Amino acid sequence: MSTPEMNIATFLAKSATHHPDHPAIVAGARTVTYREFYRRALSIGGELLARGLRRGDRVAFALHNSPEVLETVFGCIAAGLVAVPMNARLHAKEMGYIVRSSGAKVLIHGAAFTAEIDEHLGEFDGMQWRFEVGGTEGIEPYDRLLDSVTPLEAPVEVTADDASWLFYTSGTTGRPKGATWTHRTGRVVVVMNYLADVYNIDHDDVVLHAAPLSHGSGIVALPAIARGATNVILDALSFSPELLFDTVARHKVSHIAFLAPTQIVAILDKYDPDRFDLSTVKAVCYGGAPIYLEHLKAAVETFGPIFAQIYGQGEAPITVTGLTREMHARFAATDDPRLGSAGIARTDVEVRVVDADGTPVAPGEAGEIIVRGDVVMRGYWNNPEATVEALREGWLYTGDVGTFDDQGYLYLLDRTKDMVVSGGNNVYPREVEEVLITHPAVASVVVFGIPDEYWGEAVHAVVVTEPGHQVTAEELIRFCGENLAGYKKPKAVEFVPELPVSAYGKILRREVRDRYWTGHDRKVGGGARRVATATP
């Protein structure tokens, strides 16, 4: 029998004790103190348990960035329930699949999603309770969770291996898979190791969240809350560099929790030192996709040595390897090519680059990146086949191709899987292909990423039409938008008379894709003009 250990929500309990009146969350005109934040989380957890949920049950939510995201996460975790965040940009059909796959009994969502969820309610089998932030008649209001007559007195006891969070990440089968994070993952890896290896957040820090709280920025919120820092949420549904600058100046932001490379490009383009004061910013964490080396150099030159890079994935959250602020400063000053690397293995993480047999390769040689340590997920939720494929003898096989230099710096080169990273969002071609192939005018299709100066990679579709049928690229892109999140739609559709196939009739994706990458030194994230992950 497993021994009870510390619940992740204890971090919030301690901050509420030490700093009860300190602002925990600021969003527009709203301010929530640590005392109130903790009270709300205990109410949510207690009410869900009073409804009949039991430890280990899943609670899914679709919310735009707001205090409700963090309240829901900590309310679930405090009750021993499993939070299932969903990207707010997903289509309702995709949300429905995640609810069914996770077996979530509860769905919490914002009013912005109500109409689309209602339209596809049949996709949400298994959901027993539904709460809405915003108040539509006929749906239980989220506020009812905040007013429970049976709030928790404290976070419940859990074991280190109890699930706390399901992070749904797309898979090569075209269906998302739920990477299972435990309380140990959150407590030791996400919180303590972020503070140790990425940025040591302090109580006096003001942490800005400009990226989705359902993903990277929300994960960084955990160590910020553990330290009793103030979490400021950018008050906009879409990213605005000018609003970010104004928010930094108004709240004296010291740490920007997470930016995708596209957001760094955007702030570079809009920054005017005569208009905006960013002098309080000490650290900016970025990741989610590779960044062009010239963009990174320009960012360091413009904003100073404040950047910290992380490389990881949903199966190994936050950081597998990284480049500290000090490394950025040193490498930028000396034009060291290691500025273009993904950094070194984190303190308690072991990383190897191996060949097809799992044997480590020599520095300078390419192979698949594998990872070992507490950073690795417990497995994929209810997907033993995918778990066995990804986890072998204690190692996570990431599907990324890379190489080490002789000093242990990792360089990303390509992917063994076919994932496209566009603007920091993961898109798997199979998902898009499975939608396009259902269109009556499409006979065959292949989807992949092509270099894009702004997005890093753009989703591109090459289509063969059915004889006698005509369709435009705009029609197919619109068709995708009716079934997929907007960021998964192809940026362009190209029509060809035929696609190359193997002797077994399989479309040769790489053969089609490779011609778009001619002259590039890698096949991820743009890879042009001596980009950030050039081979040493």
Side-chain angles (χ1 to χ4, degrees), residues 203-518:
H203 164 64
D204 293 327
D205 273 309
V206 178
V207 181
L208 177 63
H209 298 280
L213 285 167
S214 59
H215 289 69
S217 208
I219 298 168
V220 178
L222 299 184
I225 290 165
R227 282 290 171 83
T230 298
N231 293 270
V232 176
I233 299 173
L234 199 67
D235 191 23
L237 293 181
S238 58
F239 181 70
S240 164
E242 291 86 353
L243 180 59
L244 181 143
F245 300 146
D246 288 340
T247 304
V248 167
R250 184 166 64 254
H251 294 284
K252 294 182 169 49
V253 168
S254 56
H255 180 35
I256 299 178
F258 187 87
L259 290 180
T262 50
Q263 293 174 311
I264 293 176
V265 173
I267 64 174
L268 270 171
D269 183 56
K270 298 294 184 181
Y271 179 61
D272 180 349
D274 295 326
R275 289 180 57 199
F276 305 113
D277 179 11
L278 306 184
S279 61
T280 60
V281 179
K282 296 184 290 186
V284 176
C285 174
Y286 74 94
I291 184 172
Y292 282 106
L293 185 55
E294 56 265 44
H295 289 157
L296 183 54
K297 286 181 176 179
V300 174
E301 181 178 352
T302 301
F303 302 113
I306 60 175
F307 294 92
Q309 180 198 159
I310 58 174
Y311 159 63
Q313 55 183 209
E315 292 83 351
I318 287 292
T319 312
V320 170
T321 63
L323 278 176
T324 65
R325 292 176 299 163
E326 293 75 19
M327 291 174 181
H328 278 81
R330 186 168 75 253
F331 296 156
T334 58
D335 203 26
D336 192 310
R338 286 176 290 179
L339 183 64
S341 74
I344 61 175
R346 215 183 57 201
T347 302
D348 67 337
V349 175
E350 188 176 2
V351 183
R352 292 179 181 174
V353 174
V354 300
D355 61 19
D357 296 324
T359 303
V361 300
E365 294 185 17
E368 183 170 1
I369 300 167
I370 65 174
V371 182
R372 182 166 64 181
D374 282 341
V375 69
V376 173
M377 65 174 180
R378 190 177 72 185
Y380 291 116
W381 185 262
N382 280 346
N383 196 335
E385 296 84 4
T387 298
V388 168
E389 175 64 22
L391 301 178
R392 307 175 216 167
E393 298 181 347
W395 291 89
L396 168 68
Y397 281 68
T398 67
D400 291 331
V401 175
T403 183
F404 277 118
D405 67 12
D406 56 7
Q407 292 180 299
Y409 285 80
L410 181 68
Y411 294 75
L412 302 179
L413 302 176
D414 204 342
R415 301 184 186 94
T416 60
K417 303 171 185 175
D418 295 318
M419 183 177 71
V420 180
V421 178
S422 182
N425 291 297
N426 295 348
V427 182
Y428 280 83
R430 180 71 176 271
E431 292 184 273
V432 186
E433 290 166 359
E434 286 184 346
V435 170
L436 284 171
I437 204 65
T438 64
H439 193 285
V442 176
S444 59
V445 58
V446 63
V447 173
F448 45 86
I450 64 174
D452 187 274
E453 181 72 16
Y454 180 73
W455 296 107
E457 292 178 81
V459 180
H460 190 78
V462 179
V463 169
V464 177
T465 56
E466 291 282 1
H469 285 72
Q470 291 186 337
V471 67
T472 67
E474 291 74 18
E475 287 174 316
L476 291 180
I477 293 171
R478 188 165 56 249
F479 180 73
C480 286
E482 294 170 357
N483 296 276
L484 294 169
Y487 67 84
K488 296 180 182 179
K489 296 187 298 184
K491 293 287 192 296
V493 176
E494 179 181 356
F495 296 93
V496 296
E498 62 181 10
L499 289 167
V501 296
S502 70
Y504 300 99
K506 182 178 180 180
I507 295 174
L508 300 174
R509 182 192 312 275
R510 295 261 167 141
E511 184 175 313
V512 181
R513 172 181 178 249
D514 282 354
R515 65 188 177 93
Y516 293 87
W517 293 85
T518 302

Side-chain angles (χ1 to χ4, degrees), residues 97-113:
Y97 173 79
I98 291 174
V99 168
R100 297 195 312 274
S101 169
S102 66
K105 294 182 178 180
V106 176
L107 172 64
I108 300 171
H109 64 83
F113 308 103

Side-chain angles (χ1 to χ4, degrees), residues 182-194:
T182 66
H183 277 263
R184 173 169 289 166
T185 307
R187 179 170 53 81
V188 177
V189 178
V190 172
V191 174
M192 299 307 297
N193 294 336
Y194 186 90

